[in-house]
Amino acid sequence: MAAYHGYDGVLTINSVDLSDWCTDFEIVESYGDLDTTAAGDTHETRIGGLGSFVLTATFHQDQAANAVYATLQPLVGTVTTFTGKASSATTAATNVQVGGSIFISEFSYMHPAPGTLDTFSVSWAGSGSLTITTS
């Protein structure tokens, strides 16, 4: 088993690389759990329902041109594309790129607490299916 050290993940949203401002991100895919148990069964049986995914991320806020604010604020309330990779290395079977469309349902304009970095976390639902690229 190989251990993995994450340190240079890549996250693009609407074709803009936001990796320099992103402290972490996670892409989770899941499927509905449909019960197919019938009368007389001695154990529950199940099948998968509709699939979905969520992209969660934490960003350092930056209001400069081509940074977080300028990229994300105009997208609030819209569906846009994203891609994510665990490493900046070339996309390969050992460094897959995951992508798709997400609904930008929320955006934090600022969180200036004294003595802290201005950061914000989001959780955006997917729209459609994920694409996995290995080359």
Side-chain angles (χ1 to χ4, degrees):
M1 177 185 96
Y4 191 81
H5 177 257
Y7 65 93
D8 68 340
V10 178
L11 180 64
T12 65
I13 297 177
N14 199 34
S15 299
V16 177
D17 185 348
L18 295 178
S19 304
D20 286 349
W21 299 275
C22 185
T23 63
D24 66 272
F25 66 93
E26 180 179 32
I27 304 159
V28 176
E29 183 177 29
S30 61
Y31 287 83
D33 179 354
L34 304 178
D35 188 345
T36 58
T37 308
D41 287 346
T42 60
H43 288 80
E44 293 178 343
T45 58
R46 304 196 174 281
I47 61 171
L50 293 175
S52 64
F53 70 91
V54 174
L55 168 66
T56 58
T58 302
F59 296 97
H60 294 291
Q61 183 59 280
D62 187 340
Q63 296 182 356
N66 297 320
V68 177
Y69 181 89
T71 300
L72 298 179
Q73 190 280 327
L75 298 173
V76 176
T78 69
V79 173
T80 192
T81 58
F82 85 96
T83 61
K85 290 194 312 181
S87 166
S88 63
T90 302
T91 300
T94 55
N95 188 39
V96 299
Q97 177 174 285
V98 178
S101 295
I102 48 174
F103 175 59
I104 308 289
S105 58
E106 62 182 336
F107 177 73
S108 176
Y109 287 87
M110 60 193 71
H111 183 241
T116 66
L117 292 172
D118 187 355
T119 63
F120 66 98
S121 297
V122 293
S123 183
W124 294 320
S127 178
S129 60
L130 288 171
T131 302
I132 311 296
T133 306
T134 59
S135 61

